[in-house]
Amino acid sequence: MDAFTPGASTLGGVLIGLATALTLLLNGKIAGISGVVGRILRPAPGDALWRVWFVAGLIAGGALTFALLPASKAALDFSHAGVGLMALAGLFVGLGTRVGGGCTSGHGVCGISRGSTGGIAATCTFMAVAGLVVFARGKVGG
Amino acid sequence: MRHALHFVSGLLFAAGLVISGMANPHKVVAFLDVAGGKWDPSLAFVMVGAIGSFALLNQLIHRRERPVFEGKLPGRRSDTGVSPRLLGGAALFGLGWGLSGVCPGPALTDVSTLRPEVFAYLGTMLVGMVIAQRVFGMDAPKAPAAPADADAADAATEPPSSVS
């Protein structure tokens, strides 16, 4: 059972917005995570290094925040998916985000913020499909 | 050195994912479980906070002619259109997100937990990205001819995959 955390979730969202805006301010790039990662795997000249720094910041930032907020680390719960299912899900996510051109951050945050019809349509689509998957599995609390 | 400042973006992004609850897969599943009787709507507030702050800052940043360091600012508004490729990819992403409760950002943020689930997910995610980029190309085809310079193309014409 997860507690309702509107305050912390809003604050976290603002930090995500700030992070994305900082990258936009620095080099004009839209920092959607799947695009940042995907374009490291097939880099354009001069376009890889900032992405590597960004990803390093994501990994280090997780370590740092979990260290500062031990309760948030203790709350991590992967019980609904074992290693095999996670591997399958990762494959779908890797394929889907690079075919569809975005994930939760690129389409959901940046796309919607910038009035993108594609971003809105993609967000509605992945939210609906993910909701249906969870509904079909019926695993939460079960 | 200028590239290293993006490390700060990554730090802030990760802090946001952890504080908001997005880094916890079970909380994501509880958010997606609208009909499950124990729906936790918290993560809708992540979108409110992130979209609100980024929409505002995007307007402010566009008062500038260009970014601080290099490249060009993308359009104030995005013109990413709806295509079968976009919707198909989004559906496939939704399938993986619903099964795992993990999207690409939290997967990276959770690396320091050293959990095998995280590495299993990240490993196949990277494979999936490589396959998709090889088979389908980096971007969905766009009507106008793309500029020859990939860097300018990314910033100026805002192809769908640069918003990912």
Side-chain angles (χ1 to χ4, degrees):
Chain A
M1 188 66 198
D2 293 274
F4 180 47
T5 57
S9 290
T10 306
L11 172 64
V14 170
L15 288 173
I16 292 167
L18 278 175
T20 314
L22 177 59
T23 281
L24 180 68
L25 177 66
L26 291 172
N27 68 355
K29 300 291 177 143
I30 297 297
I33 305 300
S34 56
V36 170
V37 175
R39 285 167 193 274
I40 292 173
L41 301 172
R42 205 173 170 185
D47 187 47
L49 197 54
W50 76 268
R51 299 172 189 276
V52 173
W53 277 110
F54 188 99
V55 170
L58 268 179
I59 296 171
L64 195 65
T65 316
F66 283 133
L68 293 172
L69 302 169
S72 65
K73 188 172 184 182
L76 290 180
D77 182 350
F78 287 76
S79 60
H80 58 280
V83 169
L85 192 57
M86 289 292 279
L88 182 66
L91 184 64
F92 290 149
V93 168
L95 289 169
T97 53
R98 297 312 294 148
V99 170
C103 59
T104 334
S105 53
H107 282 314
V109 176
C110 302
I112 292 178
S113 297
R114 298 170 66 227
S116 160
T117 47
I120 293 165
T123 304
C124 292
T125 302
F126 65 66
M127 295 277 298
V129 171
L132 282 171
V133 168
V134 172
F135 178 74
R137 292 190 72 207
K139 287 277 276 189
V140 162
Chain B
M1 180 56 215
R2 60 178 55 175
H3 295 299
L5 284 169
H6 293 277
F7 184 77
V8 179
S9 293
L11 285 179
L12 284 172
F13 205 113
L17 288 172
V18 172
I19 291 168
S20 66
M22 280 292 291
N24 184 354
H26 191 269
K27 194 165 175 82
V28 174
V29 172
F31 167 66
L32 293 169
D33 193 27
V34 177
K38 291 180 180 174
W39 184 45
D40 175 7
S42 304
L43 297 186
F45 290 83
V46 186
M47 294 304 272
V48 171
I51 291 172
S53 60
F54 185 69
L56 176 69
L57 291 166
N58 181 50
Q59 297 294 333
L60 292 176
I61 290 167
H62 274 87
R63 290 186 182 179
R64 297 176 57 90
E65 293 270 318
R66 54 178 61 84
V68 174
F69 288 135
E70 65 218 323
K72 291 159 95 173
L73 286 174
R76 187 186 294 258
R77 291 176 64 82
S78 167
D79 60 354
T80 307
V82 181
S83 65
R85 174 175 170 162
L86 175 110
L87 296 178
L92 196 53
F93 165 50
L95 176 61
W97 191 37
L99 286 173
S100 62
V102 179
C103 52
L108 291 162
T109 302
D110 287 353
V111 160
S112 67
T113 65
L114 303 178
R115 297 187 67 113
E117 296 94 333
V118 174
F119 290 102
Y121 177 101
L122 274 175
T124 53
M125 182 187 88
L126 295 176
V127 169
M129 285 180 164
V130 169
I131 293 172
Q133 290 176 167
R134 280 189 181 275
V135 174
F136 295 95
M138 295 303 284
D139 305 310
K142 249 184 133 26
D149 176 39
D151 215 287
D154 210 350
T157 62
E158 191 51 43
S161 46
S162 75
V163 301
S164 37

